[in-house]
Amino acid sequence: MKATVATSVFAVFMALTLALGLLAVRARRGGRRERGLAEWSVGGRSLGTVFIWVLMAGESYTSFSYLGAAGWGYRFGAPVLYVIAYMSCGYALGYVVGPMLWAYARRHGLVGITDIVAHRYGRPWLGTAVALFATVCLLPYIQLQITGMGVVVSTISYGAISLNWAYFLGFALTTTFVVVSGLRGSAWVSVLKDVLVIATLGFLVVYVPLHYFDGYGAFLDRVVAEKPQWLTFPGHESGGLGQGWFISTTVVNSLTVVIFPTTVAGYLGARSADTLRRNAVYLPAYNVLLFVPVALGMAALFVVPGLTGTQSDLALFKLVTDSLPAWAVGVIGVAAALSSIVPMAVFMLVIGTMWGRSVFGARSGAGAGPGEPVDGAAGQRQKRWSQLVVVAAGTLALLLTYFAPQTLVRLSLISYEGMAQLVPMLLLGLVWRRFTWQAAVAGAVAGIALVCAAVFSGHDPLWGVNAGLLALALNVAVALAVTRFGPRARDARPDTEVLAVDDEFPRLTEGDRAVAVGAADSAN
Amino acid sequence: MRNQTPGGAPPGSRKRPALLWLLLPYVLFLAVLPLVNRLTPTVFGLPFLFFWMLLATVATPGAVWLARRGDLRRGRR
């Protein structure tokens, strides 16, 4: 009975999700007829502040937040705060980086980081190489979302839906709607997801302490009295996740998150550079919500003690299934499942775009010129390739989930720290003309090598510091040396063609500006 | 050879001092960590480290807002 109720609630919402995804694309076609790659990959660069906010919040607030954040809170305590810290710092940096990348991509008709790299250095093959590397880094995330969703669905259905079916369900739903509707569909579904996430977490944060502990004061007093180890660095039996690790991880992740391909997809979907600046003000506020699963994870310490290892990832759901009626469990499951689907959709979309544009597109030489290359006939062709790659990538992730789950788990260890090594190539390259592709590649290769060596030999963190940050330091040092002593670039294009120019700020009319400044002043 | 065009300077080369506000989260979350990595005093029952992190999280939108305000003022001139 409980299983039927929870599963029905879940099924209804999944149908709604698919409908929303399909509706998003129809709504757009009603207005203007745009079917090229730019419409699919970056929503025709037309999303306003609200959609960008929910989309970017949607990407970052994944099923990890439900499972991992609570799980880390349960197992280690304080070290989990790194997620909140790096997102806050990264979103603040996004105030500068977002509009810069947006303006650059818009001016040159680009749809992703591989495109940006290919254009900056005038080397299409470099875009291809970055696309291949980024795919290797992103695939584990898709698998992570598939397994995350599988675990959630299987738990909230009280076991009625088996893990394997739940994996397939997540894959099929996400692939269908991302192929059909692209970034715009993801943004629409994000709205549903955010409403549910905010509502369910808002409810849980009030309900759980009242239900189990006679309220907040009692809950907090008990944590402070009985679990002090969890409440400061280095946390409880965290194995070296001390202050040095926290600081270095926050620094390197905050740099990485601003150039992460999925973040950039969100940036490029914005209607204007100023949309992104406004968004950078509002987006960090979302991070306050992350304290909820952390607190619930710690509450689970008292309610369901003794979970070990990956079991602890279910800390939050053990509380939920233990204390709530079936329909409520279903709704919370939907919120968590959507927290897998939205990021998974964007990850797939980004992989598809990178391949359509920088792997197949680069070889055929299509869309290399300026203007609006992504919406013509070549753009149509690239979009079809991209959609094919989405299905292929999703299928691959699903198959690996079934048959070789450990492969991607191992890869996921280097994902974030590996992507960090592209930061100089992208950001330094866009503001510094002398930076050559040789320097960018040499630095990235050195950095990635160090990350792989440290992670696979089990030396991350290295000397109490995140190996990704050490690798990034090596990366920059090598890149600077090659720039200084290596070959000079022979590129006849003017700086304005190659670099990110500061011509997009503030792109307001005099009227807007007076209003905006007035508002800022009066709020002051 | 440099083909610098007027108005085409890279970001940051024109003075935007308000952008320094964007470093505030780094200061709050990271620079002062050794001072705030403690259990007591508890604030509203929250252990001090968690209270501080919550404060830093809430302050981040404010910091970005201050950076934006600086940019808007600069644009007015």
mmCIF file of all heavy atoms in Angstrom, chain A residues 397-414:
data_model
loop_
_atom_site.group_PDB
_atom_site.id
_atom_site.type_symbol
_atom_site.label_atom_id
_atom_site.label_comp_id
_atom_site.label_asym_id
_atom_site.label_seq_id
_atom_site.Cartn_x
_atom_site.Cartn_y
_atom_site.Cartn_z
ATOM 1 N N ALA A 397 26.838 5.626 -20.266
ATOM 2 C CA ALA A 397 26.828 5.785 -18.807
ATOM 3 C C ALA A 397 25.947 4.730 -18.156
ATOM 4 O O ALA A 397 26.297 4.160 -17.114
ATOM 5 C CB ALA A 397 26.349 7.192 -18.436
ATOM 6 N N LEU A 398 24.800 4.445 -18.792
ATOM 7 C CA LEU A 398 23.884 3.446 -18.239
ATOM 8 C C LEU A 398 24.529 2.059 -18.249
ATOM 9 O O LEU A 398 24.488 1.328 -17.254
ATOM 10 C CB LEU A 398 22.586 3.424 -19.041
ATOM 11 C CG LEU A 398 21.505 2.470 -18.509
ATOM 12 C CD1 LEU A 398 20.937 2.988 -17.201
ATOM 13 C CD2 LEU A 398 20.379 2.294 -19.525
ATOM 14 N N LEU A 399 25.139 1.699 -19.388
ATOM 15 C CA LEU A 399 25.769 0.387 -19.491
ATOM 16 C C LEU A 399 26.886 0.240 -18.464
ATOM 17 O O LEU A 399 27.023 -0.794 -17.812
ATOM 18 C CB LEU A 399 26.321 0.171 -20.906
ATOM 19 C CG LEU A 399 25.248 -0.008 -21.987
ATOM 20 C CD1 LEU A 399 25.885 -0.151 -23.364
ATOM 21 C CD2 LEU A 399 24.374 -1.218 -21.674
ATOM 22 N N LEU A 400 27.682 1.306 -18.315
ATOM 23 C CA LEU A 400 28.768 1.243 -17.336
ATOM 24 C C LEU A 400 28.207 1.114 -15.919
ATOM 25 O O LEU A 400 28.813 0.475 -15.060
ATOM 26 C CB LEU A 400 29.664 2.465 -17.455
ATOM 27 C CG LEU A 400 30.601 2.454 -18.674
ATOM 28 C CD1 LEU A 400 31.263 3.809 -18.856
ATOM 29 C CD2 LEU A 400 31.655 1.380 -18.526
ATOM 30 N N THR A 401 27.049 1.760 -15.691
ATOM 31 C CA THR A 401 26.423 1.639 -14.374
ATOM 32 C C THR A 401 26.082 0.184 -14.071
ATOM 33 O O THR A 401 26.274 -0.299 -12.957
ATOM 34 C CB THR A 401 25.132 2.478 -14.317
ATOM 35 O OG1 THR A 401 25.426 3.792 -14.758
ATOM 36 C CG2 THR A 401 24.574 2.521 -12.911
ATOM 37 N N TYR A 402 25.557 -0.502 -15.107
ATOM 38 C CA TYR A 402 25.192 -1.906 -14.912
ATOM 39 C C TYR A 402 26.419 -2.821 -14.801
ATOM 40 O O TYR A 402 26.501 -3.680 -13.945
ATOM 41 C CB TYR A 402 24.332 -2.404 -16.086
ATOM 42 C CG TYR A 402 22.910 -1.900 -16.071
ATOM 43 C CD1 TYR A 402 22.291 -1.493 -17.243
ATOM 44 C CD2 TYR A 402 22.177 -1.847 -14.893
ATOM 45 C CE1 TYR A 402 20.978 -1.037 -17.243
ATOM 46 C CE2 TYR A 402 20.870 -1.384 -14.884
ATOM 47 C CZ TYR A 402 20.278 -0.985 -16.056
ATOM 48 O OH TYR A 402 18.992 -0.537 -16.056
ATOM 49 N N PHE A 403 27.344 -2.631 -15.749
ATOM 50 C CA PHE A 403 28.351 -3.672 -15.934
ATOM 51 C C PHE A 403 29.717 -3.352 -15.332
ATOM 52 O O PHE A 403 30.487 -4.257 -15.054
ATOM 53 C CB PHE A 403 28.501 -3.998 -17.424
ATOM 54 C CG PHE A 403 27.222 -4.511 -18.010
ATOM 55 C CD1 PHE A 403 26.534 -3.787 -18.967
ATOM 56 C CD2 PHE A 403 26.675 -5.709 -17.562
ATOM 57 C CE1 PHE A 403 25.340 -4.249 -19.494
ATOM 58 C CE2 PHE A 403 25.485 -6.178 -18.085
ATOM 59 C CZ PHE A 403 24.813 -5.453 -19.060
ATOM 60 N N ALA A 404 30.050 -2.064 -15.203
ATOM 61 C CA ALA A 404 31.371 -1.735 -14.658
ATOM 62 C C ALA A 404 31.279 -0.510 -13.766
ATOM 63 O O ALA A 404 31.890 0.511 -14.039
ATOM 64 C CB ALA A 404 32.353 -1.491 -15.800
ATOM 65 N N PRO A 405 30.483 -0.603 -12.708
ATOM 66 C CA PRO A 405 30.247 0.591 -11.896
ATOM 67 C C PRO A 405 31.525 1.201 -11.335
ATOM 68 O O PRO A 405 31.595 2.403 -11.108
ATOM 69 C CB PRO A 405 29.316 0.090 -10.788
ATOM 70 C CG PRO A 405 29.445 -1.387 -10.789
ATOM 71 C CD PRO A 405 29.794 -1.781 -12.170
ATOM 72 N N GLN A 406 32.536 0.386 -11.125
ATOM 73 C CA GLN A 406 33.752 0.923 -10.491
ATOM 74 C C GLN A 406 34.581 1.814 -11.415
ATOM 75 O O GLN A 406 35.289 2.704 -10.970
ATOM 76 C CB GLN A 406 34.617 -0.229 -9.966
ATOM 77 C CG GLN A 406 34.051 -0.863 -8.706
ATOM 78 C CD GLN A 406 33.667 0.177 -7.674
ATOM 79 O OE1 GLN A 406 34.465 1.040 -7.321
ATOM 80 N NE2 GLN A 406 32.437 0.134 -7.191
ATOM 81 N N THR A 407 34.494 1.561 -12.738
ATOM 82 C CA THR A 407 35.303 2.335 -13.684
ATOM 83 C C THR A 407 35.039 3.822 -13.533
ATOM 84 O O THR A 407 35.951 4.637 -13.402
ATOM 85 C CB THR A 407 34.946 1.944 -15.128
ATOM 86 O OG1 THR A 407 34.703 0.562 -15.152
ATOM 87 C CG2 THR A 407 36.045 2.322 -16.084
ATOM 88 N N LEU A 408 33.751 4.170 -13.546
ATOM 89 C CA LEU A 408 33.416 5.584 -13.524
ATOM 90 C C LEU A 408 33.627 6.176 -12.139
ATOM 91 O O LEU A 408 33.961 7.346 -12.017
ATOM 92 C CB LEU A 408 31.986 5.794 -13.979
ATOM 93 C CG LEU A 408 31.793 5.596 -15.485
ATOM 94 C CD1 LEU A 408 30.361 5.870 -15.867
ATOM 95 C CD2 LEU A 408 32.713 6.492 -16.282
ATOM 96 N N VAL A 409 33.463 5.371 -11.120
ATOM 97 C CA VAL A 409 33.726 5.880 -9.779
ATOM 98 C C VAL A 409 35.182 6.333 -9.694
ATOM 99 O O VAL A 409 35.502 7.393 -9.167
ATOM 100 C CB VAL A 409 33.433 4.806 -8.714
ATOM 101 C CG1 VAL A 409 33.922 5.267 -7.352
ATOM 102 C CG2 VAL A 409 31.951 4.499 -8.666
ATOM 103 N N ARG A 410 36.046 5.531 -10.266
ATOM 104 C CA ARG A 410 37.459 5.883 -10.231
ATOM 105 C C ARG A 410 37.728 7.150 -11.054
ATOM 106 O O ARG A 410 38.470 8.017 -10.649
ATOM 107 C CB ARG A 410 38.301 4.715 -10.752
ATOM 108 C CG ARG A 410 39.495 4.433 -9.874
ATOM 109 C CD ARG A 410 40.117 3.092 -10.193
ATOM 110 N NE ARG A 410 39.381 1.999 -9.593
ATOM 111 C CZ ARG A 410 39.184 0.824 -10.198
ATOM 112 N NH1 ARG A 410 39.629 0.615 -11.411
ATOM 113 N NH2 ARG A 410 38.541 -0.127 -9.570
ATOM 114 N N LEU A 411 37.074 7.238 -12.210
ATOM 115 C CA LEU A 411 37.248 8.431 -13.040
ATOM 116 C C LEU A 411 36.719 9.683 -12.335
ATOM 117 O O LEU A 411 37.298 10.762 -12.452
ATOM 118 C CB LEU A 411 36.496 8.271 -14.357
ATOM 119 C CG LEU A 411 37.232 7.589 -15.495
ATOM 120 C CD1 LEU A 411 36.336 7.547 -16.721
ATOM 121 C CD2 LEU A 411 38.521 8.329 -15.821
ATOM 122 N N SER A 412 35.610 9.510 -11.596
ATOM 123 C CA SER A 412 35.006 10.681 -10.976
ATOM 124 C C SER A 412 35.948 11.328 -9.974
ATOM 125 O O SER A 412 35.834 12.509 -9.681
ATOM 126 C CB SER A 412 33.689 10.309 -10.311
ATOM 127 O OG SER A 412 33.945 9.658 -9.086
ATOM 128 N N LEU A 413 36.887 10.539 -9.464
ATOM 129 C CA LEU A 413 37.843 11.113 -8.507
ATOM 130 C C LEU A 413 38.680 12.200 -9.156
ATOM 131 O O LEU A 413 39.121 13.132 -8.497
ATOM 132 C CB LEU A 413 38.764 10.013 -7.959
ATOM 133 C CG LEU A 413 38.074 8.952 -7.110
ATOM 134 C CD1 LEU A 413 39.057 7.867 -6.731
ATOM 135 C CD2 LEU A 413 37.483 9.588 -5.862
ATOM 136 N N ILE A 414 38.972 12.053 -10.462
ATOM 137 C CA ILE A 414 39.812 13.069 -11.102
ATOM 138 C C ILE A 414 38.985 14.116 -11.841
ATOM 139 O O ILE A 414 39.533 15.091 -12.344
ATOM 140 C CB ILE A 414 40.820 12.446 -12.094
ATOM 141 C CG1 ILE A 414 40.082 11.741 -13.225
ATOM 142 C CG2 ILE A 414 41.787 11.517 -11.394
ATOM 143 C CD1 ILE A 414 40.923 11.607 -14.475
#
